[in-house]
Amino acid sequence: MPVFFDRSHQPPQLLLEGAVDIGCAGELKAALAEAVGSGAVAHIVAESVTALDVTAIQLLWAAERASQPGGSNPPDGSGLRLAAAWPAALAANLREAGFRRVPFAPERQ
């Protein structure tokens, strides 16, 4: 399963692995909504992601906006953060495809 939200872990983790694409878009959307609304800062664990399609990227950007101050997320200290950098090859492929950055990544990635 490429998408799993683990509430039992502290901090909660949104685990992403393999190809995260339109085939798991429903799972990703539900997991992102659960993570953003969890009442805690959840960490996105994405070291094992091999590919993101445009659907996954759109959902991640929407969740990024929602988890920022002024987004749809309540100002209770909850939200989403990237636990570690996206895999370098994935970030490079997305830059080559024309994306300036990957959601939740700093501008330099």
Side-chain angles (χ1 to χ4, degrees), residues 5 7 11-12 32-43 63-81 104:
F5 183 62
R7 271 186 187 270
L32 287 166
E34 186 177 359
V36 169
S38 70
V41 175
H43 289 180
E64 181 182 53
R65 283 189 304 274
S67 67
Q68 292 175 345
S72 61
N73 193 38
D76 60 2
S78 62
L80 279 168
R81 305 289 178 269
F104 294 99

Side-chain angles (χ1 to χ4, degrees), residues 22 28 32 52-65 99 103:
I22 196 164
L28 178 59
L32 287 166
L52 292 172
D53 74 354
V54 69
T55 303
I57 292 169
Q58 288 174 327
L59 288 169
L60 287 163
W61 273 327
E64 181 182 53
R65 283 189 304 274
F99 293 98

